[in-house]
Amino acid sequence: MAEYAFRKIDIDALDEDTLLREDLVEPDPRGPDGVLADAKRKSGEVRTAVAQNNIAGALAAILSDPPYGADVDEARALTISALQLILNSTRSSEIAATLKNLTPEQQDHLMSYLYKGMAGLGSKSGAGGEVSGSVLLTWHEKLTEVAGVGCIVRVMTDRRTL
Amino acid sequence: MSTPEAFQLSLGPLTGVAFGPDRTEVAISPNNNEVQIYKKAGETWDLQQTLSEHDKLITAISWAPQTNRIVTCSQDRNAYVWTHTAQGWKPALVLLRINRAATCVKWSPKEDKFAVGSGARTIAVCSFDEENNWWVSKHIKKPLRSTVLSIDWHPNNVLLAAGTAESKAYVFSAFIKNIDSKPEPTVWGERVPFGTICGEFSSPAGGWVHDVAFSPSGDILGFVAHDSSVNLVYPSSPGAPPQALISLRTSALPYLSLTFVSENTIVAAGHDCQPVLFSGDESGWAMSTSLDSKSAAGKPAAGGRVVSGSGGGPGRLNSDAFNAFKTADSRGQARPASSAGSASGGIEVGADGLLLTVHQNSITHIEAYEWGSGGSVSKVVTAGKDGRLVIWDVAGKK
């Protein structure tokens, strides 16, 4: 494979003005503290809404302006656990109707969390620890039916990782 | 609906497509360092001439309709302007001064200059220097931070749109003294010295911008990105945020190319292997229809209709045994896939292992091919990684 070795050369090594990964993402205007306060408030809202069986409202709340980027680990953990609560307490017959009411942006965010959940499945303390693979797959199947493969492509391109 | 005309020009991808002034000639590169010029002869396209001057893959070709000149650019960091003489096409080297591959090239509407996008985070705007008798370039560098993937000219010959890998589309001024006269004020700006940034727009979910296009009036900018989005920008006034920035998050695979059919209609095509019509205005846009109608489903799309170029294509070899071998080779399938199309935007495969679309691979290029009496586009042409050139009827479609 020697003829491909040149592909691993860092051609930007001597270039001062290189584009870094961070440059491609604009930081959240709310700042880390604002994001955390927001996540706490939404996580509370979700618990109330789920208790009242208002899944659509809960999902819409948690998927609006989710935390992204660096320095928001706590807010991210809160959001994920609130979302897992929703995923686990929705009857599978209601999923499709719930998804149709989401905006395309919210659908993209949900897809992103589903993949994140799948990534965490293997590890015991991972992000997907509290939700089973079959639940994730059911949501994934229904979401793909509603939002199409475009939604999956957007999860892969978006550098604002949730 | 008339059926699309499909022509197999090459077995591999077509990496640059440009039509001659009367649309009966086409210059393509079959994914290598050569340009092939085909001429339409009835039902087929015949190879006329091969231009070889570049020493690496040719990335784009543009053919000026009035002055009949071809410009090609390549990964060898060079561009050549080809002029037609009695002895055939003669190249002239352009001084691009870039240190990475050139990725895209386009003649300006007046054909007195052209722009070359490159991986060197630069757009080279080239014009002819009479004194020295060669093509020189001026660079737009700021604020580009990544590869320029696509460019398009505004009809006023001055403004230039660029799509980049940093997931942004820009509108720049490419005004060159002594060549351009002072342009009329447009919605994009009034005073526009070279390099002025007249607009900067992001794709909604971080996808790099595959293609940009101005509407026929130049008052709308459309761009498609790798996050499967189709975006339309209606500028309000210079410096102010746009009056409307419409981002459609589509459910399909990403679009690689787009062109305006009218102020209210675009055709976009890409990894879904079919051109799709979108229509709307500043209040909103929506996908309307695919030009590749699924009524063709059931019969092997285009399989029997594809006309081979003189180079010979798989059309000649289109037997069951050949197809079975081909699927085994390219898809790792021992048997052709059953015709179970996947749901929700997935690509459907016919019983013979061919796609149900006319194009058998991603469409990388789309442009207007024929105009109707009222100046509206009546036909568009697409080219793709399957080496096919397909002409589609869009007249009367909305």
Side-chain angles (χ1 to χ4, degrees):
Chain A
M1 299 299 276
E3 67 263 46
Y4 298 117
F6 72 95
R7 293 195 185 279
K8 301 214 165 165
I9 298 172
D10 179 8
I11 55 165
D12 289 326
L14 298 174
D15 197 339
E16 285 168 13
D17 183 36
T18 47
L19 184 67
L20 300 173
R21 204 168 271 251
E22 302 87 78
D23 298 338
L24 291 165
V25 181
E26 282 174 25
D28 199 320
R30 293 172 291 180
D33 295 336
V35 171
L36 182 58
D38 245 17
K40 278 185 177 151
R41 182 176 54 78
K42 276 189 209 149
S43 152
E45 276 174 30
V46 165
R47 270 161 229 285
T48 329
V50 169
Q52 293 162 351
N53 210 8
N54 176 11
I55 298 294
L59 208 52
I62 203 74
L63 294 175
S64 311
D65 302 320
Y68 66 84
D71 310 325
V72 291
D73 291 343
E74 195 180 345
R76 189 175 279 150
L78 274 172
T79 310
I80 290 173
S81 77
L83 188 77
Q84 283 168 349
L85 180 69
I86 302 175
L87 296 185
N88 281 329
S89 43
T90 309
R91 272 194 293 274
S92 58
S93 55
E94 290 167 7
I95 293 177
T98 316
L99 291 173
K100 281 190 185 115
N101 291 325
L102 295 177
T103 64
E105 193 168 358
Q106 288 169 337
Q107 289 171 345
D108 293 352
H109 290 151
L110 177 58
M111 186 62 92
S112 183
Y113 281 119
L114 291 180
Y115 278 110
K116 205 175 169 64
M118 291 181 203
L121 276 179
S123 59
K124 273 181 192 146
S125 59
E130 292 163 36
V131 64
S132 76
S134 70
V135 171
L136 289 173
L137 282 171
T138 313
W139 278 86
H140 183 273
E141 182 193 348
K142 307 258 173 181
L143 183 52
T144 314
E145 273 168 26
V146 174
V149 286
C151 184
I152 300 174
V153 177
R154 281 188 285 279
V155 171
M156 292 193 276
T157 56
D158 207 340
R159 288 179 182 271
R160 288 168 294 186
T161 38
L162 302 178
Chain B
M1 180 190 157
S2 62
T3 47
E5 304 166 54
F7 307 98
Q8 187 85 41
L9 294 188
S10 161
L11 289 175
L14 305 180
T15 53
V17 177
F19 281 89
D22 58 359
R23 300 286 177 192
T24 58
E25 280 177 297
V26 65
I28 58 133
S29 171
N31 205 28
N32 64 13
N33 63 338
E34 289 179 341
V35 177
Q36 297 178 338
I37 297 181
Y38 286 86
K39 194 166 175 63
K40 194 172 188 183
E43 283 287 280
T44 58
W45 293 80
D46 295 332
L47 182 59
Q48 297 283 304
Q49 201 184 343
T50 301
L51 315 181
S52 39
E53 193 69 31
H54 286 289
D55 47 343
K56 283 205 166 61
L57 180 84
I58 288 170
T59 49
I61 307 173
S62 180
W63 197 328
Q66 290 138 46
T67 47
N68 198 26
R69 283 184 299 209
I70 297 175
V71 56
T72 57
C73 72
S74 149
Q75 291 179 352
D76 63 11
R77 300 165 296 160
N78 285 325
Y80 289 98
V81 174
W82 303 79
T83 350
H84 198 253
T85 64
Q87 290 84 43
W89 293 91
K90 287 280 167 280
L93 180 68
V94 182
L95 296 179
L96 283 184
R97 299 182 289 122
I98 53 176
N99 59 1
R100 297 275 195 281
T103 52
C104 48
V105 65
K106 226 164 236 178
W107 281 103
S108 73
K110 285 188 187 154
E111 302 172 12
D112 48 5
K113 51 186 183 177
F114 57 87
V116 181
S118 79
R121 303 185 288 231
T122 306
I123 301 170
V125 180
C126 307
S127 56
F128 194 67
D129 180 3
E130 301 277 354
E131 271 177 39
N132 293 311
N133 195 27
W134 62 22
W135 291 85
V136 292
S137 64
K138 265 186 101 170
H139 285 177
I140 298 176
K141 273 190 179 313
K142 277 183 183 159
L144 298 169
R145 305 223 46 204
S146 64
T147 301
V148 178
L149 298 170
S150 56
I151 46 175
D152 195 32
W153 286 94
H154 188 280
N156 75 356
N157 207 49
V158 167
L159 295 173
L160 184 70
T164 65
E166 69 218 46
S167 71
K168 281 190 179 138
Y170 295 96
V171 176
F172 294 108
S173 162
F175 179 85
I176 291 188
K177 252 192 267 177
N178 306 332
I179 289 193
D180 288 307
S181 50
K182 198 176 175 299
E184 296 284 311
T186 65
V187 285
W188 299 99
E190 286 165 18
R191 263 197 82 249
V192 282
F194 183 84
T196 312
I197 306 160
C198 304
E200 182 181 331
F201 314 99
S202 293
S203 63
W208 50 101
V209 179
H210 282 298
D211 198 15
V212 288
F214 277 111
S215 71
S217 68
D219 291 349
I220 312 169
L221 176 74
F223 63 96
V224 288
H226 198 77
D227 50 11
S228 287
S229 65
V230 175
N231 308 274
L232 292 127
V233 185
Y234 291 80
S236 49
S237 58
Q243 174 188 345
L245 168 54
I246 296 160
S247 286
L248 287 179
R249 291 168 181 249
T250 72
S251 60
L253 290 176
Y255 297 103
L256 296 175
S257 186
L258 87 161
T259 188
F260 276 85
V261 174
S262 69
E263 295 291 316
N264 299 95
T265 325
I266 59 166
V267 189
H271 290 304
D272 264 350
C273 314
Q274 49 184 308
V276 181
L277 217 58
F278 290 83
S279 56
D281 51 31
E282 58 262 58
S283 56
W285 280 69
M287 184 188 284
S288 73
T289 178
S290 166
L291 294 181
D292 201 342
S293 81
K294 285 281 162 65
S295 62
K299 64 176 170 174
R305 291 203 315 277
V306 173
V307 184
S308 297
S310 56
R316 289 185 300 150
L317 299 165
N318 218 344
S319 65
D320 283 349
F322 176 74
N323 281 330
F325 176 73
K326 202 170 83 174
T327 38
D329 177 48
S330 62
R331 289 166 229 243
Q333 287 167 346
R335 212 172 303 160
S338 63
S339 74
S342 62
S344 60
I347 294 168
E348 294 179 32
V349 181
D352 52 2
L354 292 175
L355 302 184
L356 294 181
T357 50
V358 175
H359 273 288
Q360 293 296 306
N361 204 334
S362 305
I363 299 173
T364 51
H365 180 92
I366 184 163
E367 68 173 82
Y369 180 71
E370 209 174 277
W371 286 264
S373 51
S376 60
V377 177
S378 59
K379 283 181 181 177
V380 294
V381 62
T382 56
K385 293 182 184 165
D386 56 354
R388 280 183 189 175
L389 195 69
V390 184
I391 299 167
W392 311 81
D393 216 343
V394 289
K397 291 215 173 72
K398 273 184 189 160

